Amino acid sequence: GAGVSQSPSNKVTEKGKDVELRCDPISGHTALYWYRQSLGQGLEFLIYFQGNSAPDKSGLPSDRFSAERTGGSVSTLTIQRTQQEDSAVYLCASSSRPTLSSYEQYFGPGTRLTVT
Amino acid sequence: SQELEQSPQSLIVQEGKNLTINCTSSKTLYGLYWYKQKYGEGLIFLMMLQKGGEEKSHEKITAKLDEKKQQSSLHITASQPSHAGIYLCGADISGSSNTGKLIFGQGTTLQVKP
């Protein structure tokens, strides 16, 4: 596709339920990032994928959060037993990043998660 | 304290006026990114700067990187209502770990009065 896409665009869930958020990066982009944007915390890094592996998971806030990437393309962020503090906009970004330098990161439109 | 500080936090300017937004890092910069965000939408990529002294322009927006000061500035010339939004700077401070993950400033909200 032309850009990074994410689904769903909005998700309302009850506290305690599990949710899955999907990210389709730009075709050919090897690097994929998940960020979270909330009112109190601004925009925070969650996890980084290079290909299918995740060398940096340092931003995941708890073990309720996990992510995977398959085929070097689509990624899914899963939040188990959602809590109200998980409410935020979850943004995905991708980059054609090689190993040695910074490259442009393009963001998707985000998934707005509301936990009631 | 924030690793990446943006200033000002908000700005209201009259249409046609110039303005500058600053972004200062407390850590070594390996890449500095500028994005624009409208409420409820994703981040629109504006520019990326890597080398000290580098300057890039896109339409009426110019960004510069002062590597020694670990600072970048975004300058908008002859502002228009279409420039309104939230401007975010993001910094790659991953260094030798080379992940490319970004930390972000708190954003600058720009309003342009017609």
Side-chain angles (χ1 to χ4, degrees):
Chain A
V4 179
S5 60
Q6 292 185 245
S7 61
S9 55
N10 278 286
K11 177 73 177 178
V12 180
T13 190
E14 290 180 356
K15 179 181 171 181
K17 300 283 189 184
D18 297 352
V19 295
E20 282 189 355
L21 312 179
R22 178 187 168 106
C23 172
D24 280 273
I26 293 171
S27 179
H29 278 191
T30 56
L32 186 148
Y33 305 82
W34 282 97
Y35 294 87
R36 177 169 74 171
Q37 187 174 35
S38 56
L39 277 175
Q41 300 298 324
L43 223 168
E44 307 170 285
F45 166 80
L46 295 177
I47 186 170
Y48 156 63
F49 286 92
Q50 182 64 30
N52 290 336
S53 64
D56 191 344
K57 305 179 184 179
S58 61
L60 294 178
S62 76
D63 58 10
R64 295 186 296 105
F65 287 71
S66 63
E68 64 175 14
R69 189 178 183 194
T70 55
S73 181
V74 172
S75 176
T76 303
L77 178 70
T78 301
I79 308 173
Q80 294 179 310
R81 306 181 302 282
T82 51
Q83 301 295 312
Q84 288 186 329
E85 62 262 28
D86 299 335
S87 296
V89 177
Y90 290 81
L91 293 159
C92 174
S94 73
S95 167
S96 62
R97 180 177 181 79
T99 55
L100 294 177
S101 60
S102 290
Y103 267 62
E104 298 166 359
Q105 283 190 31
Y106 295 94
F107 280 77
T111 293
R112 182 175 297 277
L113 174 66
T114 304
V115 182
T116 61
Chain B
S1 64
Q2 288 283 337
E3 291 178 307
L4 200 63
E5 294 274 357
Q6 266 187 255
S7 62
Q9 287 188 333
S10 64
L11 198 52
I12 304 173
V13 299
Q14 200 69 38
E15 182 177 359
K17 295 293 186 185
N18 303 336
L19 63 107
T20 300
I21 299 169
N22 293 303
C23 179
T24 303
S25 173
S26 61
K27 297 195 174 182
T28 301
L29 292 169
Y30 294 89
L32 192 290
Y33 298 68
W34 284 100
Y35 292 90
K36 179 184 175 185
Q37 186 177 33
K38 293 203 167 182
Y39 181 76
E41 299 180 12
L43 276 65
I44 300 167
F45 175 83
L46 296 176
M47 277 168 279
M48 183 191 82
L49 306 165
Q50 272 190 280
K51 301 172 186 174
E54 188 173 13
E55 180 174 323
K56 289 187 178 177
S57 293
H58 174 69
E59 297 178 347
K60 294 186 178 179
I61 301 176
T62 301
K64 300 179 187 180
L65 180 63
D66 185 331
E67 199 172 45
K68 285 184 182 176
K69 291 184 181 177
Q70 296 177 172
Q71 184 176 65
S72 177
S73 59
L74 185 85
H75 186 77
I76 299 177
T77 304
S79 58
Q80 300 169 0
S82 61
H83 288 128
I86 302 169
Y87 289 82
L88 287 156
C89 66
D92 178 356
I93 59 168
S94 60
S96 58
S97 68
N98 203 36
T99 64
K101 70 181 183 185
L102 302 182
I103 59 168
F104 284 87
Q106 290 298 309
T108 296
T109 301
L110 171 64
Q111 293 180 53
V112 180
K113 289 188 172 181

